[in-house]
Amino acid sequence: MKKPTWVVDKERSKKAEASETVWLFGLHAVRDALSNPAREKLRLIVTRNAADKLSDVIGAAAVPPEIADPRKFPAPLDPGSVHQGAALEVRPLNWGSLEDVAVGPRPGTGDGPDAGAAQTPPRLILLDRVSDPHNVGAILRSAEVLGARAVIAPARHSAPETGALAKTASGALERQPYLRVRNLAQAMLALKEMGYLVLGLDGLAEATVEEALKTQADRPVALVLGAEGPGLREKTRLTCDRLVRIRAAGSFGSLNVSNAAALALYAAQPK
């Protein structure tokens, strides 16, 4: 019996994901990946100078380094990549399911959202087609600093896990969950069922983030941000519980999405 087309496509997608690899580059990104036991490491290319700087983590990483001539660095990187003499081929990290990152223990802790009365209500960042890896990398850094449980984006039309993203994230990619889902609107509905208040960022919204959370700060919150220019798609807007804006001292045009994510996440912190 011939398999349905959707079954064949799903099997092909799984095979492609299983064979997908990423080249990380730069001393900081490579060091953090080598130090991450959850990261599957395949090939390490370093110059002698970089090997000396990474010697404390190379030995424990169980991946033999290939010493390369800095003038003929063999890693398949874009010509403009600032690799600092270090490149590491890896498989993308697996952060589990939406429920795992939304209600499971926060990375780096042993406590879930129901672990006790002192537990801080979880915060999530959702990105609606934000495709610039530098913006997503910066958002991952802010999310880690401000304690967000995860950054979530659609699998299509969003920045994949790449060397450029990892370098901008400056190590946060190894610790801060970056989960890509099949359908963002469906993920938002699932989060609502888990008890999350889903707030969409819109510069023309009436209420600020603080005003929307004035009586609901103890709830789990998901902040949804759109790409610069288009903003939130219509379906995304309609799926939000409410649209909110960032409080500003005066009038301004717009914020870079990575800056907006940091400010919104800070504003959403329980006081």
Side-chain angles (χ1 to χ4, degrees), residues 31-120:
R31 172 180 290 280
D32 283 300
L34 287 172
S35 302
N36 183 3
R39 176 71 85 172
E40 185 178 353
K41 310 158 191 74
L42 304 174
R43 186 182 177 194
L44 174 63
I45 301 176
V46 287
T47 61
R48 179 63 63 188
N49 184 45
D52 290 341
K53 293 179 179 178
L54 297 170
S55 60
D56 58 321
V57 290
I58 287 177
V63 53
E66 301 174 30
I67 304 301
D69 184 336
R71 295 166 297 181
K72 298 179 181 179
F73 199 70
L77 306 175
D78 291 335
S81 300
V82 183
H83 54 73
Q84 300 173 295
L88 176 66
E89 186 183 18
V90 299
R91 295 205 188 279
L93 288 165
N94 180 7
W95 292 105
S97 68
L98 178 65
E99 187 173 6
D100 289 336
V101 299
V103 301
R106 187 175 135 195
T109 74
D111 299 324
D114 300 320
Q119 179 68 40
T120 301

Side-chain angles (χ1 to χ4, degrees), residues 81-234:
S81 300
V82 183
H83 54 73
Q84 300 173 295
L88 176 66
E89 186 183 18
V90 299
R91 295 205 188 279
L93 288 165
N94 180 7
W95 292 105
S97 68
L98 178 65
E99 187 173 6
D100 289 336
V101 299
V103 301
R106 187 175 135 195
T109 74
D111 299 324
D114 300 320
Q119 179 68 40
T120 301
R123 300 294 187 251
L124 297 172
I125 291 287
L126 277 64
L127 303 178
D128 188 13
R129 295 196 174 191
V130 178
S131 57
D132 184 340
H134 299 94
N135 276 331
V136 176
I139 289 169
L140 285 169
R141 292 179 70 176
S142 297
E144 182 183 28
V145 169
L146 293 169
R149 193 173 293 277
V151 176
I152 299 168
R156 298 180 62 191
H157 306 293
S158 64
E161 187 175 325
T162 63
L165 188 154
K167 196 169 193 302
T168 307
S170 193
L173 180 63
E174 302 301 320
R175 300 177 295 272
Q176 180 65 42
Y178 179 44
L179 181 70
R180 297 173 72 205
V181 296
R182 187 176 297 274
N183 184 290
L184 190 66
Q186 289 179 3
M188 293 164 66
L189 292 173
L191 289 172
K192 288 184 180 184
E193 292 180 359
M194 297 177 205
Y196 275 80
L197 176 66
V198 179
L199 302 178
L201 270 290
D202 184 328
L204 299 178
E206 293 184 4
T208 64
V209 177
E210 293 91 342
E211 290 168 347
L213 293 177
K214 192 170 184 179
T215 60
Q216 303 190 76
D218 59 342
R219 286 188 61 181
V221 176
L223 299 165
V224 192
L225 295 95
E228 293 176 41
L232 298 175
R233 288 175 292 162
E234 186 64 19

